[in-house]
Amino acid sequence: MSSVRVFRPARIRMLAAVATVCALSAAPLAPRTALAADTPTYTETHRPQFHFTPQKNWMNDPNGLVYYKGEYHLFYQYNPNGNSWGDMSWGHAVSRDLVHWEELPLALPHDDEEMVFSGSAVVDRNNTTGFGTEKNPPMVAIYTSAYKNGGKQAQSLAYSTDRGRTWTKYEGNPVIDIGSKDFRDPKVQWYAPTKSWLMTVSLSAERKVRFYSSKNLKDWTQLSEFGPAGATGGVWECPDLFPLAVDGDKNTIKWVLVVNLNPGGIAGGSAAQYFIGDFDGTKFTAEDKGTYTPPTGTVVQDFEDAGFGDWTATGTAFGQGPATGAVDGQSSVSGFEGKGLANSFHGGDGATGTLTSPSFTVASPYLNFKIGGGRHPHEAGTVMDTTPPEGTVLADFEGGTYGDWTATGDAFGTAPATGTLPGQQQVSGHLGDGLANTFLNGDATTGTLTSPEFTIDKKYVNFLIGGGNHPAGSDNPTAVELLVDGQVVRTATGKDAEALDWASWDVGDLAGKKARIRIVDDNTGGWGHLNVDHIVLSDTKAQRVSQETSVNLLVDGEVVRSATGTDSEALDWASFDMRPYLGKQARIQVVDRNTAGWGHILADRFTAADEPALSVVQRADWADHGKDYYAAVSWENAPGGKRYMIGWMSNWDYAGSVPTSPWRGAQSIPREMALRTVDGRIRLTSTPVSSLTALRNKRPATAYGVTVENTSKPLISRTPQGGALDIEATFSLKDAERFGLKVRTGARGEETVIGYDATTQELYVDRTRSGAADFHNAFSTGVQTAPLKARNGQVELRILVDRSSVEVFGGNGEAVITDQIFPDPSSTGVEVFAEGGTATLDSLRAWQLKSIWR
């Protein structure tokens, strides 16, 4: 089972390649009997082995979390008809241990009138609703009715008297209707002091949470509202309110309000923030965190003069000099310092330009500045030249007709679109007036558009593409296809964005062949459309064009740091870590290359400083600092007063694009929540549910006293069970700047880095080389960090590694990072590393985890 290797004085017990995989020693606590007739093997590439996933189709938010008669119920947003978002209904699974899951039939299906959005479930023990009896109290689901006609959202009920196996929708629905399209995700609990039901529900677009009270779940009275507060860069969704003892002292109770945010999370996109405070039965009051004072430093540019000084402007977006606030046509601008700022809204969102500082020598550890405007990040490899490649234009969709192209279905209409269609987000990046746009009458339409036959006589086929990410070969594609001899030989799809950008096919090997191009929209779900323009045969490969609104740091002409706005006219602090570039020549460049909605950037008060300035988002509190933990909510009625929480392990930035089939979407490991005093402040902490250890194989791989200096050393060469591991590791700080573990190492240099930065006192996860990442631009950008102070010179980590995720718990659960990864199945190694000095791995135990599906 194991072998021994020695690294200097270290004693390591290696987990070698194992030919067999241990089976479960006992039947799961909740055997999967409901689907026994067609139970799959659950061995597909990237299929999680100890996280819940549905057998097939799309899943997102966890819903209806309640414990009843020995079962933990997990309902979830589910599309019974496909592997993309749509036809939202409640799927259902149960567990006796929060680890093994039995998938049950669909609980609450959508119908002709409504989709069934997120909500909660309770056990009505006193039969206040009259839906059951005192001897057989009903389980009641409180969900959001998302009405298909008009888009209104209201709160409704359904009930079950057979332990959640069958459900009846209440004939008096909805029970709360305020006439809003952004009123959703009710979390309901029994509030004993007033002997009434308490609902926490989101006014999502207003960034507010509203509280209601009821005696019978049918008739509700508004109590109060909370918000906006904390991070507000996106909509507020899936709120949860619950009490916890502080440091285990039942005489000291604080209330936790969890508010999930999308976008605008700590790692970009979706995330779960929380507030700690008090609830008096009517109102939630968050603890006052005081005002924020940024670090002082040397001001590099504050835009207080009449002109830009020695900064150079191009284009028209920035005007002739700094703005004094909002410019013509712009909403009110706030948050800038003094009287002036750089504002690229001159001429509206359609104008573009850059503003560049003179070259300077980097002499301070940090560059702090204020930023606002559009959320359009810089993308590596893009260029600012919008000139299309020269060649033979096969279609530019100008002139009001499709010419000799052949359309089928109803998605393309009778003529090209002239930009954005009714109900569509703003379309940009196309050339001229016309383009093929299949959003005609919304995502529900489908069809094809096929070119006449042509001869491939150049090296590249270039075209502009945007819209939905549903690749050719998936159940319902939105794709551009190249057909030779009737066979698809090249494909491309959108990236769930309305902005068009260049895509290129190298067709040098097809020279002289007859071909056709076919644009296919076979998708009726979310992002079920495609935008295409300017298809050209060329000997030059088209380069993707920048569509950023960003502040960039350039060193040696390359962008090495970048920040963007949050679709807000309020400026907030941002910071660049300049330490790797000390002594080098650099420039600051403010860039507006976007002509669509929020296509402008605001910047002010560039300051060289010794400490980083913190944004509102960084100063907010987060249940998880990773990219893939959203819609986090907790179970009601858990035994022993425990508070268990689970989140959807994805991010709306790219959720519809992750490369999994026949399912898409996974839930995190359930976590036990606690309030602990950390560095003098009360924090919400989380640790994996204790029953997870039942999946551990008996004999872990171990390592003790491994000292590494500016290198990586293998600890585990290959892990059976597809890399499913539970790792406990303790490091001692020496003089290394960064150290930690690399997991899922192997094929083509793949690795997911889980490290500790001793200089910033942060836990981090770097998945930029973790495997498949090209399915969406937002997936591999950035490194996720969470503040974590060493204790007694040591850093303790608990790492859960599955086939398509890592969950990292630092310290006593005060720092948590959850990220999806999609490595090659053969990449199952584990290494220890140190950078910038020496670190010691005091101890490591790594258990293989058995699959919950066998």
Side-chain angles (χ1 to χ4, degrees):
M1 177 88 183
S2 62
S3 60
V4 177
R5 292 178 61 185
V6 177
F7 290 131
R8 294 187 177 91
R11 180 170 58 86
I12 301 179
R13 183 175 164 201
M14 299 287 293
L15 177 64
V18 179
T20 61
V21 176
C22 295
L24 288 176
S25 59
L29 295 177
R32 303 185 69 258
T33 55
L35 299 175
D38 59 348
T39 299
T41 61
Y42 282 75
T43 59
E44 303 96 336
T45 301
H46 305 314
R47 171 73 81 168
Q49 294 301 290
F50 59 93
H51 292 83
F52 177 76
T53 51
Q55 176 186 345
K56 63 179 181 178
N57 296 345
W58 170 277
M59 174 183 70
N60 55 286
D61 304 357
N63 299 154
L65 307 183
V66 67
Y67 179 82
Y68 185 49
K69 291 188 175 179
E71 292 179 325
Y72 294 92
H73 290 264
L74 168 63
F75 300 91
Y76 46 88
Q77 291 287 278
Y78 183 68
N79 181 359
N81 299 316
N83 205 15
S84 59
W85 187 94
D87 293 338
M88 282 295 95
S89 306
W90 275 25
H92 190 193
V94 293
S95 174
R96 295 185 179 276
D97 63 355
L98 290 173
V99 174
H100 300 91
W101 293 95
E102 175 187 359
E103 185 175 348
L104 296 177
L106 192 67
L108 299 177
H110 74 102
D111 57 32
D112 292 341
E113 293 185 0
E114 68 177 15
M115 286 194 288
V116 183
F117 275 14
S118 294
S120 53
V122 297
V123 178
D124 184 12
R125 298 191 182 279
N126 298 322
N127 195 31
T128 63
T129 56
F131 292 153
T133 65
E134 291 186 6
K135 291 185 178 181
N136 185 27
M139 186 182 294
V140 182
I142 308 93
Y143 67 91
T144 295
S145 292
Y147 292 104
K148 296 180 178 179
N149 184 9
K152 184 178 68 174
Q153 297 177 358
Q155 314 319 316
S156 295
L157 306 179
Y159 60 92
S160 170
T161 55
D162 59 358
R163 296 167 45 245
R165 269 55 179 180
T166 61
W167 292 83
T168 302
K169 291 183 179 179
Y170 174 46
E171 61 183 11
N173 285 337
V175 294
I176 310 180
D177 181 0
I178 63 172
S180 172
K181 294 183 178 180
D182 294 288
F183 178 50
R184 56 182 174 268
D185 310 336
K187 178 63 188 293
V188 174
Q189 61 189 287
W190 180 252
Y191 186 68
T194 58
K195 297 182 179 179
S196 59
W197 298 103
L198 172 65
M199 178 190 291
T200 307
V201 64
S202 179
L203 300 170
S204 58
E206 299 178 44
R207 284 74 168 174
K208 291 182 179 180
V209 166
R210 182 174 286 179
F211 302 101
Y212 288 89
S213 180
S214 175
K215 293 294 185 183
N216 59 9
L217 293 176
K218 301 174 182 177
D219 304 299
W220 293 89
T221 301
Q222 182 179 332
L223 297 175
S224 64
E225 292 180 353
F226 173 80
T232 57
V235 295
W236 279 16
E237 296 183 317
C238 302
D240 195 3
L241 178 71
F242 51 85
L244 283 175
V246 178
D247 297 323
D249 181 359
K250 295 183 179 179
N251 294 317
T252 306
I253 302 295
K254 286 290 183 179
W255 285 76
V256 179
L257 175 63
V258 175
V259 180
N260 291 272
L261 176 75
N262 176 62
I266 182 62
S270 314
Q273 73 170 319
Y274 69 89
F275 302 88
I276 296 173
D278 297 300
F279 182 72
D280 62 5
T282 299
K283 182 180 181 181
F284 175 81
T285 303
E287 292 187 335
D288 186 0
K289 299 173 71 173
T291 58
Y292 176 69
T293 302
T296 59
T298 302
V299 176
V300 175
Q301 172 63 279
D302 58 8
F303 300 110
E304 293 300 294
D305 296 331
F308 290 123
D310 52 3
W311 288 47
T312 304
T314 66
T316 60
F318 291 94
Q320 299 301 309
T324 56
V327 299
D328 290 346
Q330 187 176 24
S331 300
S332 177
V333 173
S334 63
F336 58 99
E337 304 288 314
K339 297 179 180 180
L341 76 155
N343 184 341
S344 75
F345 197 76
H346 291 84
D349 280 329
T352 61
T354 63
L355 184 61
T356 308
S357 78
S359 179
F360 64 94
T361 302
V362 178
S364 296
Y366 296 93
L367 178 69
N368 300 329
F369 54 95
K370 304 204 82 172
I371 188 172
R375 183 189 282 114
H376 305 286
H378 169 78
E379 294 180 15
T382 58
V383 298
M384 294 192 184
D385 184 3
T386 59
T387 305
E390 294 183 355
T392 305
V393 177
L394 300 178
D396 60 9
F397 303 111
E398 303 296 316
T401 72
Y402 287 121
D404 49 4
W405 286 55
T406 303
T408 68
D410 53 2
F412 292 87
T414 58
T418 55
T420 307
L421 292 171
Q424 188 175 24
Q425 299 175 41
Q426 187 169 349
V427 174
S428 64
H430 56 291
L431 300 178
D433 295 325
L435 75 156
N437 181 345
T438 70
F439 196 76
L440 187 65
N441 297 318
D443 281 326
T445 53
T446 60
T448 66
L449 184 65
T450 307
S451 77
E453 192 172 66
F454 62 92
T455 300
I456 298 175
D457 58 2
K458 298 186 185 305
K459 186 171 175 57
Y460 295 98
V461 177
N462 301 312
F463 50 95
L464 289 163
I465 186 171
N469 187 329
H470 307 284
S474 62
D475 290 342
N476 303 103
T478 53
V480 179
E481 302 173 337
L482 179 67
L483 287 81
V484 174
D485 297 328
Q487 300 298 311
V488 176
V489 296
R490 302 286 191 278
T491 70
T493 189
K495 294 187 176 181
D496 291 349
E498 300 294 11
L500 287 80
D501 207 346
W502 288 108
S504 295
W505 293 325
D506 185 336
V507 292
D509 61 321
L510 300 173
K513 296 279 189 179
K514 298 289 187 179
R516 296 179 189 269
I517 289 174
R518 181 171 63 194
I519 305 172
V520 179
D521 176 359
D522 191 35
N523 198 291
T524 60
W527 285 104
H529 65 279
L530 206 60
N531 309 322
V532 181
D533 193 21
H534 206 80
I535 304 171
V536 56
L537 275 169
S538 177
D539 287 324
T540 303
K541 181 179 180 180
Q543 293 181 280
R544 291 187 302 122
V545 175
S546 165
Q547 301 189 35
E548 66 200 88
T549 54
S550 61
V551 173
N552 298 331
L553 177 71
L554 284 75
V555 175
D556 296 329
E558 299 292 327
V559 175
V560 297
R561 294 284 188 268
S562 185
T564 187
T566 60
D567 290 352
S568 172
E569 304 292 17
L571 286 80
D572 194 10
W573 285 107
S575 184
F576 288 157
D577 183 350
M578 309 287 278
R579 292 172 299 165
Y581 314 108
L582 290 172
K584 294 189 176 183
Q585 293 296 297
R587 294 179 187 268
I588 302 164
Q589 189 170 67
V590 188
V591 181
D592 175 359
R593 300 300 305 175
N594 197 288
T595 60
W598 285 105
H600 62 280
I601 187 77
L602 313 172
D604 193 22
R605 198 76 174 183
F606 288 89
T607 305
D610 291 333
E611 299 292 336
L614 302 178
S615 67
V616 168
V617 171
Q618 291 171 307
R619 302 195 308 268
D621 290 315
W622 302 94
D624 192 298
H625 283 71
K627 275 186 173 283
D628 295 307
Y629 188 74
Y630 189 63
V633 287
S634 64
W635 269 272
E636 294 298 322
N637 301 346
K642 299 284 189 179
R643 183 62 58 171
Y644 299 117
M645 180 169 280
I646 195 171
W648 175 44
M649 204 158 54
S650 198
N651 189 308
W652 279 117
D653 277 355
Y654 45 75
S657 308
V658 296
T660 62
S661 180
W663 84 102
R664 185 173 281 126
Q667 302 295 341
S668 74
I669 283 296
R671 302 167 183 184
E672 183 173 350
M673 313 306 292
L675 287 179
R676 296 190 177 96
T677 303
V678 180
D679 300 325
R681 189 166 67 88
I682 300 173
R683 300 263 299 277
L684 181 67
T685 66
S686 59
T687 52
V689 61
S690 61
S691 50
L692 180 67
T693 59
L695 298 181
R696 291 173 171 177
N697 277 357
K698 291 182 179 179
R699 291 195 296 172
T702 59
Y704 301 97
V706 183
T707 297
V708 283
E709 180 179 3
N710 293 316
T711 191
S712 295
K713 289 182 178 180
L715 293 176
I716 300 174
S717 58
R718 178 176 173 269
T719 310
Q721 203 65 4
L725 292 173
D726 184 352
I727 301 172
E728 294 178 352
T730 300
F731 288 85
S732 282
L733 277 67
K734 301 296 185 182
D735 61 355
E737 295 176 357
R738 289 168 299 278
F739 57 85
L741 299 174
K742 298 178 180 180
V743 301
R744 297 306 302 266
T745 64
R748 299 180 297 277
E750 288 182 355
E751 61 183 21
T752 299
V753 183
I754 299 165
Y756 184 75
D757 189 325
T759 64
T760 60
Q761 299 184 88
E762 289 178 321
L763 176 69
Y764 68 89
V765 173
D766 181 350
R767 67 177 181 188
T768 55
R769 296 178 299 280
S770 64
D774 59 355
F775 53 86
H776 199 282
N777 295 335
F779 182 79
S780 61
T781 55
V783 175
Q784 288 63 259
T785 64
L788 178 66
K789 289 188 177 180
R791 287 200 297 260
N792 300 319
Q794 292 185 317
V795 174
E796 296 180 357
L797 302 177
R798 172 91 179 271
I799 303 168
L800 304 180
V801 184
D802 207 341
R803 289 189 178 178
S804 53
S805 65
V806 291
E807 292 169 280
V808 185
F809 301 82
N812 202 8
E814 64 265 30
V816 187
I817 298 176
T818 299
D819 278 351
Q820 292 182 93
I821 56 173
F822 299 100
D824 186 279
S826 66
S827 296
T828 60
V830 177
E831 299 178 6
V832 59
F833 77 93
E835 298 173 357
T838 300
T840 296
L841 174 61
D842 294 328
S843 66
L844 176 141
R845 294 186 296 170
W847 291 267
Q848 295 178 46
L849 293 184
K850 306 166 191 174
S851 173
I852 64 173
W853 306 121
R854 300 196 186 107

